[in-house]
Amino acid sequence: FTNPQIYNAVFVSLPISIILVVPLVFIVTAGEIDLSFPSVVGICAWAFAAGTRANWNPFLCVAAALLVGIISGLVNGLLVTRVRLSSLVATLGMNFLLRGLIHIGNQGYGISVTQLRDTPFSNFFIGDINGFPVQMIWGILFAAIGWLLFSRHRFGAQIAVIGDNQDSAKEMGINVERMKTMAYVYMGIAAAVAGVFSTLINSTFYPTTGDGYLLSVLAAVFVGGTPTWGGVGTVVGAVIGAFIVGFIETGIIASGLTGYYTQFFYGLIIIFSLISHRFNQGRYRY
């Protein structure tokens, strides 16, 4: 851990986790959950890569990815708020549905976007400044905007009220369904940004893009201090949690263990975080 190259290596992909944990804090604080974001990342990355293969303007490809992300988030929000499905079941179903569409559409093949490598567009998003990854700056900027929305804007305040007591929120005039739907749309936007960054970093879209982020992002949110029962959340804590989780695999390798232990420790962290939240529930509430 005294070698700066270790940190630069982690910082290449860490911004993707940071971008994903921010809106997930809003959803969990609202008393819901989203298990579909890995597949939303994948389908948004597919939209971006497919546009690139068709020689679209790169910024138009980003717009296509964002549109797909917004639609996916909107569908999730409507399933939870209008159809009134459990968010756990609805988003889990969407996770399988979207991943299935990706595999059907690509038949297991990836899409190369190497033509974007070392272009002004690519360098703007994933270049480096004296060896420091530019995407890390974008990740922190995204987190800062999320913190402002959560802590200094009525959007975050209303989300917290909804998670604390949904009936009271309705009595206060808060449109619960709209706010929850907006939280899912926000998650879709973040997933689109993450999908674009992932594709640019790897110079290739893979049908499994996004699959590896489910456990690590959930772990980061819970480690960061956002409990599962709603009403309480912290964007800053989630970002710190993303840093902690991001260095777990590096720590595992540095300690002499193999990468096979990674998921074991992710699960351990999630369980212990939830146990800690349960024992501290009184402090959170009062």
Side-chain angles (χ1 to χ4, degrees):
F1 286 98
T2 59
N3 189 341
Q5 292 182 354
I6 292 178
Y7 297 92
N8 281 346
V10 174
F11 288 167
V12 168
S13 58
L14 181 59
I16 296 175
S17 294
I18 292 175
I19 289 168
L20 291 173
V21 300
V22 172
L24 192 56
V25 169
F26 286 74
I27 292 175
V28 175
T29 301
E32 306 293 349
I33 193 65
D34 186 358
L35 301 181
S36 70
F37 67 85
S39 291
V40 178
V41 171
I43 202 165
C44 291
W46 180 22
F48 174 76
T52 302
R53 183 173 57 184
N55 295 317
W56 292 3
N57 181 287
F59 289 99
L60 183 59
C61 297
V62 173
L66 287 171
L67 179 60
V68 171
I70 290 171
I71 293 173
S72 300
L74 182 61
V75 170
N76 278 330
L78 293 177
L79 286 175
V80 173
T81 61
R82 298 293 184 180
V83 185
R84 300 191 183 282
L85 297 180
S86 162
S87 59
L88 178 68
V89 176
T91 58
L92 183 61
M94 282 293 292
N95 187 45
F96 285 113
L97 175 65
L98 295 178
R99 188 62 63 183
L101 287 175
I102 294 169
H103 286 300
I104 292 170
N106 292 278
Q107 294 295 301
Y109 293 100
I111 301 175
S112 174
V113 294
T114 52
Q115 62 268 41
L116 295 177
R117 187 182 296 169
D118 294 325
T119 61
F121 172 83
S122 178
N123 291 333
F124 181 70
F125 289 107
I126 62 161
D128 65 84
I129 301 174
N130 295 325
F132 185 81
V134 170
Q135 59 264 39
M136 195 65 197
I137 299 174
W138 287 111
I140 297 299
L141 180 61
F142 192 93
I145 294 172
W147 175 80
L148 288 173
L149 285 174
F150 192 81
S151 302
R152 296 291 184 270
H153 193 272
R154 66 179 182 180
F155 178 38
Q158 291 181 1
I159 285 291
V161 172
I162 290 169
D164 186 62
N165 191 313
Q166 190 166 294
D167 293 330
S168 295
K170 290 179 179 179
E171 291 294 327
M172 294 170 63
I174 297 173
N175 190 324
V176 173
E177 293 181 348
R178 184 177 66 183
M179 298 307 294
K180 285 187 177 182
T181 302
M182 286 176 62
Y184 278 102
V185 170
Y186 186 23
M187 186 78 240
I189 292 172
V193 175
V196 171
F197 273 97
S198 178
T199 305
L200 288 174
I201 290 169
N202 296 308
S203 296
T204 305
F205 158 75
Y206 299 101
T208 56
T209 296
D211 261 352
Y213 289 104
L214 180 60
L215 286 179
S216 59
V217 170
L218 287 174
V221 171
F222 297 138
V223 167
T226 299
T228 56
W229 55 75
V232 180
T234 165
V235 170
V236 173
V239 172
I240 294 173
F243 273 88
I244 294 171
V245 173
F247 279 96
I248 283 179
E249 190 167 3
T250 303
I252 290 171
I253 302 301
S255 65
L257 299 174
T258 66
Y260 296 118
Y261 286 84
T262 304
Q263 289 196 4
F264 169 78
F265 281 107
Y266 283 162
L268 203 63
I269 286 173
I270 291 174
I271 291 171
F272 278 121
S273 298
L274 295 178
I275 291 173
S276 173
H277 293 162
R278 181 55 58 194
F279 280 117
N280 285 280
Q281 183 171 0
R283 180 174 62 85
Y284 279 110
R285 287 293 190 183
Y286 306 108

